[in-house]
Amino acid sequence: MTVRPSTSILWLVALVAACGGSDNLADCDKGLGVVPCSERTPEEQARLALDRGDFDKAIELLTQLVEEEPENYGRYTLLAAAHAARAEVAVVDIAMSSFSGGGASAIDQVTAFLPSPSEVGAEAYAHYVQDMGVALTYLKLIPPELRAETSSEKYAKSAQLQLGIYGAAYSIMYLNQFIITTASGGIDPAKLATMSEEDALTILSTLAEAGQLQAAVGSPELAAKIDTTLTSVDAQPGSTQKEKLQNYVRTTKGGGGATSTLTATATAIGLGVMP
Amino acid sequence: MNRVRQGAWRGPQIVAVCLLVVAATEAAARKGNEPVYSDPFDIAGGGASLTRASKEGRIYANPALMAYGGKFHRWFGLTVSALSTRETIGTAQKIAQGSSDDGQSEEQSDERGGEREGGDTQEFVDTLFESPVRVGWGAALSYVSANVGLGAFSRFEPDFRARKFGQHGLPEVVFTAESYHGGALALASQAPVRWLSFGLTFKYIYALEPDVAVEVSDQESIRGLQDQNLTPDVDLHYRGMGADAGVLLFFQGKHVDLSLAGKVDDGGGLAFVEGAKPAPKEYAPQDFRQVVSGGAGLTLHSTADAIHFAVDYRDILNAYEEEQFKKVYAGTKIILRTYLGLAAGFYHGYPSMGAELDLLLLRLAVTTYTRELGDHPGVDPRRIVMGSISMGF
């Protein structure tokens, strides 16, 4: 037997062709099926779904995992992140943002990274707000001592940071439901009248909690600006939180300067402002 | 914000970075069942090197291979290699240069209206979101004869990836690295019969396996990672001594050879102790576990050409508890007219291929392969291209 160069190269070409491109032989989805495939764990599948942007699939898988092992709290933070991603909250941009700018309020800056009711429609926006609420719920299901700053759990800091970011996002998105029209994107005082006292309490308490968390583990600059906003709301005339918040919106909607948070918010996201 | 400049491998800076990071616990760039050093052309052939390895690769792949060959002297020379992930060669070059631009930290406006901090780190992180970056180099100075091999090797492969959904949900940058350096003494014997050989390799290894995750909001730590310089401080490395043992059954015919091999890597395990300088715990290497492997090879050859088929099954006793696709290494090497080598195979279940040009005193090789850092196919792959140059005789 002799080995000719042409024969050798033929062998090599055949082998390369048999490789079937760049896929893994043992990949259960893309493999050739000639070797036993290596099945990914549900958690790995969920992570891949997140990376691909298939948030419905990721939420389905993670919810199932949480139900199967409710005491594995490390998964709660990932599930919360999946809900926030489905709500189109740009967490990466928020996390990488500087909140030290002098002019715009931190709330304006955060709002710039949130979806707009006029862009996605009222129904979708309501789902987004709901998703953010679910994200917060899962994070709060983690026992406080396990997500405290003093906790040794690896997910503790992430849980605290997420609570701070999602809390701020949720409260602003919740508020925007009552002030931004989906048709024009402008601020509508008539919608503001539909806000209930319970809604106002939810918005303000969530924002206050987010501010405290930001002060502790997040951005002190953002915390300070949240505190300024809450102080401004509290200084408004009114006997209930709803009236104070409504007056705050009315006061700031047409004015300029540092106190016109919501006007600046609307401008920042490219929306018109009611005359 | 003060910028952290060159030298993340200097002790104080490493400590500073690690104070701000947490250990990454997912798929990591840690040693598994493979040898601590592999020749690039052997990787091109699917990493199946128990029954046939490149000249200096024999010391680490299977010392029993040294006993076979025409002359007493096999090789004396130096091999230097460099690697990068295919998609991010440009970024890899920047990292290899140890720079992240000399300009000041810039504020950049995001298209959605907010301000994002740190222009250079932002660009770096955005690149990592697109694709992970792995860079690295290797070097091996070796003397190999029929009975004795002496080698010194150095291998450093830092790996950066960013995920929008990190281990616990928030975006993060993960830095891992394999930093192995050391020396080896190999002995081989063909007695008492010609078709059987034994070999032993004694190794002294310096190792670090950094494995840290940094939140993307932590600009300073990211700059610290970005400014890695590729001259690791040996004093920070953990140290350990170990031994490999190999056996080869080689049945030679006029045109067909059959070989069977067995090997124990790091017999009894290889435990590391701290180096001269204390390194952060996130940088500590895991002890090497004892790995038992077997391989088979078939060679068809003439006087000038040869085609070699090989398959290795590593870690038969499942010390590293890896999936099958990470245990089977298979491939083909073709040697044409003794100066041109072509290789292809399956490495970690992915196709690998490469070529080698042997010009007497100079050897050039290029290899492309995919390494899976995750536990299952497609979880965390790195598509790598590697080039090497060898000088020796």
Side-chain angles (χ1 to χ4, degrees):
Chain A
M1 174 190 276
T2 57
V3 179
R4 296 173 189 277
S6 57
T7 312
S8 303
I9 291 172
L10 199 63
W11 271 105
L12 194 71
V13 169
L15 184 68
V16 171
C19 294
S22 58
D23 294 331
N24 194 299
L25 281 178
D27 192 314
C28 294
D29 300 328
K30 302 173 184 171
L32 294 180
V34 295
V35 295
C37 79
S38 178
E39 189 78 48
R40 296 178 195 115
T41 64
E43 192 156 336
E44 286 171 339
Q45 290 177 35
R47 286 186 178 280
L48 286 174
L50 281 172
D51 291 340
R52 287 196 300 262
D54 187 352
F55 303 125
D56 290 340
K57 178 75 174 171
I59 288 168
E60 179 190 333
L61 288 165
L62 288 167
T63 303
Q64 193 176 338
L65 286 170
V66 163
E67 285 171 359
E68 286 170 4
E69 292 182 71
E71 292 187 357
N72 188 342
Y73 295 112
R75 288 171 176 157
Y76 286 49
T77 52
L78 198 58
L79 179 54
H83 278 283
R86 191 164 70 175
E88 293 191 12
V89 172
V91 175
V92 175
D93 294 328
I94 295 173
M96 292 189 74
S97 286
S98 161
F99 293 101
S100 56
S105 83
I107 294 179
D108 298 341
Q109 291 173 335
V110 172
T111 301
F113 300 120
L114 303 179
S116 161
S118 64
E119 288 175 354
V120 300
E123 191 178 349
Y125 194 78
H127 284 300
Y128 288 175
V129 175
Q130 192 179 3
D131 259 323
M132 290 310 295
V134 174
L136 286 173
T137 302
Y138 274 114
L139 292 170
K140 287 176 180 174
L141 282 172
I142 301 172
E145 68 275 15
L146 296 183
R147 58 177 156 87
E149 278 182 86
T150 52
S151 168
S152 60
E153 296 292 343
K154 288 179 179 173
Y155 54 77
K157 189 182 175 191
S158 180
Q160 293 277 9
L161 283 168
Q162 286 188 64
L163 276 169
I165 292 172
Y166 300 167
Y170 175 67
S171 56
I172 294 170
M173 288 172 70
Y174 200 113
L175 177 64
N176 283 345
Q177 290 183 114
F178 299 103
I179 59 175
I180 298 178
T181 62
T182 53
S184 66
I187 295 174
D188 182 0
K191 279 194 81 175
L192 192 58
T194 65
M195 182 193 295
S196 69
E197 177 66 14
E198 191 182 348
D199 292 329
L201 284 170
T202 300
I203 291 164
L204 295 173
S205 64
T206 308
L207 193 58
E209 195 177 350
Q212 288 168 6
L213 285 161
Q214 287 291 344
V217 294
S219 162
E221 292 87 357
L222 180 59
K225 291 182 175 181
I226 288 174
D227 190 51
T228 302
T229 301
L230 291 172
T231 304
S232 297
V233 171
D234 198 47
Q236 296 296 320
S239 58
T240 64
Q241 294 299 309
K242 181 182 82 169
E243 288 172 5
K244 286 174 184 266
L245 187 55
Q246 286 173 333
N247 283 328
Y248 174 82
V249 172
R250 289 189 188 104
T251 304
T252 57
K253 79 175 178 62
T259 56
S260 60
T261 301
L262 297 172
T263 302
T265 297
T267 306
I269 58 178
L271 303 178
V273 179
M274 291 288 284
Chain B
M1 184 183 293
N2 294 328
R3 294 204 57 186
V4 180
R5 294 306 304 165
Q6 294 284 328
W9 287 89
R10 294 169 195 150
Q13 188 170 325
I14 283 184
V15 174
V17 167
C18 287
L19 286 174
L20 299 166
V21 301
V22 295
T25 55
E26 267 203 309
R30 291 189 185 279
K31 183 185 173 300
N33 61 47
E34 296 170 81
V36 71
Y37 178 85
S38 294
D39 182 83
F41 192 60
D42 292 341
I43 295 174
S49 56
L50 286 176
T51 53
R52 183 183 177 112
S54 300
K55 292 164 183 170
E56 69 272 36
R58 298 177 183 190
I59 294 175
Y60 310 98
N62 184 357
L65 289 168
M66 293 194 309
Y68 288 99
K71 301 173 187 172
F72 177 77
H73 173 77
R74 305 278 191 259
W75 168 256
F76 175 68
L78 173 70
T79 295
V80 178
S81 61
L83 65 83
S84 163
T85 35
R86 272 189 262 173
E87 299 85 350
T88 50
I89 289 175
T91 308
Q93 283 174 336
K94 284 184 189 173
I95 293 171
Q97 289 161 5
S99 69
S100 58
D101 298 335
D102 291 325
Q104 297 298 311
S105 177
E106 296 171 5
E107 300 288 335
Q108 289 193 356
S109 289
D110 183 87
E111 60 182 6
R112 296 182 66 170
E115 284 187 339
R116 289 175 68 171
E117 199 174 21
D120 52 351
T121 58
Q122 176 191 323
E123 184 185 343
F124 180 65
V125 172
D126 285 345
T127 301
L128 296 183
F129 277 137
E130 294 296 319
S131 188
V133 175
R134 188 181 186 86
V135 294
W137 51 253
L141 177 65
S142 317
Y143 165 74
V144 182
S145 72
N147 301 113
V148 177
L150 272 171
F153 71 95
S154 185
R155 179 178 153 227
F156 179 51
E157 295 182 20
D159 187 286
F160 304 85
R161 71 180 189 276
R163 297 178 302 193
K164 290 182 177 172
F165 302 93
Q167 175 75 359
H168 302 298
L170 284 179
E172 66 185 13
V173 175
V174 177
F175 166 64
T176 59
E178 291 167 271
S179 183
Y180 306 122
H181 320 272
L185 166 67
L187 305 170
S189 172
Q190 216 172 349
V193 287
R194 288 195 62 221
W195 49 268
L196 180 66
S197 68
F198 299 94
L200 285 171
T201 300
F202 301 96
K203 304 174 293 189
Y204 190 83
I205 294 175
Y206 295 82
L208 271 188
E209 293 177 342
D211 185 3
V212 294
V214 180
E215 285 157 12
V216 295
S217 55
D218 191 347
Q219 307 281 327
E220 191 148 356
S221 291
I222 291 173
R223 283 196 191 98
L225 297 180
Q226 216 173 334
D227 288 341
Q228 298 288 340
N229 92 37
L230 302 187
T231 51
D233 183 347
V234 168
D235 286 343
L236 279 173
H237 284 61
Y238 284 62
R239 295 146 193 220
M241 200 161 16
D244 304 338
V247 61
L248 183 73
L249 282 74
F250 187 69
F251 305 102
Q252 189 167 25
K254 188 176 179 185
H255 294 295
V256 180
D257 302 340
L258 177 66
S259 45
L260 298 170
K263 190 188 176 201
V264 177
D265 281 279
D266 305 307
L270 193 163
F272 287 103
V273 296
E274 278 195 66
K277 294 179 188 170
K281 62 180 172 55
E282 291 85 357
Y283 283 60
Q286 290 183 343
D287 290 347
F288 292 176
R289 301 171 195 174
Q290 175 177 296
V291 170
V292 179
S293 308
L298 175 72
T299 305
L300 311 176
H301 60 89
S302 62
T303 50
D305 306 318
I307 179 166
H308 181 82
F309 302 94
V311 60
D312 291 356
Y313 189 88
R314 295 190 191 277
D315 199 7
I316 295 167
L317 301 180
N318 203 26
Y320 280 98
E321 299 178 345
E322 292 173 303
E323 290 281 308
Q324 295 287 341
F325 79 100
K326 280 197 173 183
K327 293 182 173 183
V328 179
Y329 298 79
T332 296
K333 291 177 183 170
I334 294 169
I335 309 300
L336 300 173
R337 301 290 176 249
T338 69
Y339 57 82
L340 177 64
L342 301 170
F346 291 104
Y347 179 90
H348 284 190
Y350 293 99
S352 63
M353 59 192 75
E356 184 179 72
L357 190 62
D358 196 337
L359 303 170
L360 293 180
L361 296 176
L362 188 67
R363 210 172 68 209
L364 305 170
V366 62
T367 298
T368 176
Y369 65 104
T370 300
R371 186 170 173 196
E372 178 57 65
L373 300 183
D375 293 333
H376 297 95
V379 170
D380 200 10
R382 299 287 183 277
R383 286 152 38 93
I384 291 169
V385 61
M386 175 193 274
S388 72
I389 182 168
S390 303
M391 288 162 287
F393 55 90

